[in-house]
Amino acid sequence: PPEWYSDNSITLYTSESASSISTTTKTVVSSSGREIQYDKCIIATGSDPFVPPIKNHNAKGCFVYRTIDDLNNIISWSKNAKRGAVIGGGLLGLEAAKALLDLGLEVTIIERNSHLLSRQIDNEGGLMLESEIEKIGIKKVLQNSPRQIEIDDTGKITGITYSDGRFDEFQIIVIAAGIRPRDSIARASNIDTHPRGGIQVDDRLQTNDPHVYAIGEVALHRGVVYGLVAPGYEMADIVAANLTSKARDRKFKGGDLSSKLKLLGVHVASFGNYFAKEDEAMPLTYKDPFGAVYKKYLFTKDGKHLLGGIMVGDTDDYAKLHALWKSKKPLTMVPGELILGVKSGQAPGMDELPDEAQVCSCNNVSKGEIRESVRTGNCRSIGEVKSCTKAGTGCGGCLPDVQEIFAAEMKACGHKVTQNLCPHFDYTRVELFQIIKIKQLKSFREIIDTAGKKGSHGCEVCKPAIASILASLWNDHILDHANLQDTNDRFLANIQRGGSYSVIPRVPGGEITPEKLIVLGEVAKKYNLYTKITGGQRVDLFGANKQDLPDIWEQLVNSGFESGHAYGKALRTVKSCVGSTWCRYGIGDSVGFAIKVENRYKGIRSPHKLKGGVSGCIRECAEAQGKDFGMIATDKGFNLYVCGNGGAKPKHAVLLARDISEELCIKYLDRFLMYYIHTADRLTRTARWLEKLEGGIEYLRRVVIDDYLGICAELEADMARLINTYQCEWATVVRDPKRRAEFRQFVNTSENQTLIEFVDERGQNRPADWPKEFPKTEETERMAAKNAPVNGKTWMKIAHVDSFPEDAGDVIKYGDVQIAIFNSHNKTKWYATQNMCPHKRAFVLSQGIVGDDENGVLKVSCPMHKKNFALETGDCLTDGPDLKLMTFDVKIENEHVWLLVPPTEELDKLLGTSKWMVKKHHVRKEKNINIIERVGQEVACGGCGDSKLDW
């Protein structure tokens, strides 16, 4: 934010460029004529995209891949395109190709060299990469440069003619052929530049004028312009150190071009001198065409030092090998072990590397700096280490190594490193599961008194985890433990921006009748809901009010729908293709099997969400190998895959059993799912669980198929109990008046309030955008204090104590203000705060989980973004923005709740819902205001707080 610059004595000029530098007068002149004196000047102007001299490269439909505007223009143009080309097969070119592929285009990459990524990998690695990207439908043209971009009479591109005369038709072309240093200011200022671009600098990054420096992509050092982030950071670090330290002798010796990326779904990495010549190095190569893995490591002739390496398909050891190369230390194992793992089975551990070894290349953080943060910086968590050192805050690829170093240093310092659930329990989720099962514990109070910190109240971590365990063991209705649930489970729907909810009915296998489709449309129209098809072959209905949920469910249930459990850590969907029912290639009834499996496991709670898939043939249209479990039909039955997932960390599923019957698939699935439920940590997907499971897939096969542990009968019985006690959670609420009443908006009135303003988009309603930040005003300061300066406070009778849930919160309406009322200690202690979370102005705090921290401070966790607030003081207990709640005095008299509140008109001025709810932002006059409510007055916008413009 702008304040950061002023707070740090930095003068920032925006919307004007630096035009020239006078090295004689030490002055920078801007485009507006501003003159600024300097002692030292640093040029960090970066680069522009390089565009090869191809005829018609600026035609309509031809783009570079550089700025947000470029990307938006590509998105817009692609809507009317079918085939796209990317000129450039480097890092950026492959990223651009993935972007076009995601936009639904047929993609061709054009590269003048003999293989893709020619600056990062060799020809063999390039062949492996190319074979993998061909599997996802991307074509390539190598060693055949574009001669001309062809256009029609309107100036739009029609395709490319290559140097060999061949023509390919395209409707969109993206040029990602490298960078050109933005060095025009140097050329205008008699500062030495190279004819092909770049400001010439020495090892201190000084130009030919000793008071002028250049860093980043504009600098040319020893004939090289660096286009990666790590060398740029290192240059900045060196110049800053030389300008501020007494020694001033640091030098830039060349950037580290090592990189680790995932391009088009393929992991690629290179480090060190990965193109070392054969007379300098001895290569060691591993190639697995079946597993799509290629590795080439280069060693000194005597095999005692690692010089560099190339990795395609498997980059797990990159960080350790990169650090080993950087350390320059002799190898402690024979070179072959680094690839084959003959003895140790893996690369050397982080404990074997020296302190100077680089761990985080994004932010140039060494192993020693991480250790120091634990030893002397009092960092006691990974989050604190990241904040202190910045390690792991770039791409995140080094986090496993950071965690390994952290754990080792904590142990060395005598600090305990645990995987305990939270401060309230000295057990992991797996250990608690067994305790609850063996001791037959049925409530949170029983569990915390038996296995936890007696007398404490739990928190937003342990309460949902224990609620999940209780559901996985005893299968009570989820609302029997409502005060343990996150908001989604507490109200059986997904909370969305602004506090509304989305509703997703179950559609087993994705099969739905026209009649049911009509019902969904009728419900959406009746309640003005935004509708969208999900990735799991269902229909999502957005924008439902909490108080309308039971009525919506009633209409759905009466039409044959059930809860889709999209709100819970439970089975979501079992996706299917049409299989042999319709498809000419299908060899198995994928739809029928998917419906059977989804109906079997619906409602089952687990450590994390579960997704399945069934494909009718090897073409895999249901993406079964990207699911927690998936079946692919063969001519002998089904292949069963487990432990895959999409999302932020995609993982390909692995084969558990081949060519088995439907009945055997279900038997193995029963065992697999229950074993996962028994043994996984909280919020751990099956893919991560398998990665941590000692012995991996081979061990899992022994447990599930061979009954190695002798527990398969128990696992099957546990699964049978869950299946036999299934109930539709929506239907149970619909048929129970008492449960329905818990969905009212306010405890003390039947009135309802709008929580966020909606805007029209493509013919449907959606919530207004959250501002990037909410400005502080005098009113926000006043409201963030108990006993705020308002007059005439009186005690107001609210409702009977039985109107409020135990050890939880609910909301009341007072004038235009929403007040959240909480209780704990079996309704012996009561608290009241504003219901609006000040972080994003969402009126949702009453729906948050009530608990206490390790110091016994009672708190509520906002269900929107997990900001924690002390119920007594209103202080924010979570790192981040300076937030605070207004709190109110509460008393219990004659079994009724009373609040000490000011007159409604006074409180409305501070906390009125209509004042603070997120609204549509005003539009500046020069951008065509559509609605003018007032003219000639400065009025604060309810959306962003801007009071500097007339409406």
Side-chain angles (χ1 to χ4, degrees), residues 229-230 233 358 360-365 393-396:
V229 65
Y233 284 163
Q358 185 189 63
C360 176
S361 58
C362 291
N363 293 304
N364 193 25
V365 184
T393 60
C395 71

Side-chain angles (χ1 to χ4, degrees), residues 791-804:
N791 300 316
K793 290 185 179 181
T794 58
W795 285 101
M796 176 69 65
K797 184 178 179 181
I798 301 300
H800 195 277
V801 293
D802 290 343
S803 301
F804 295 87

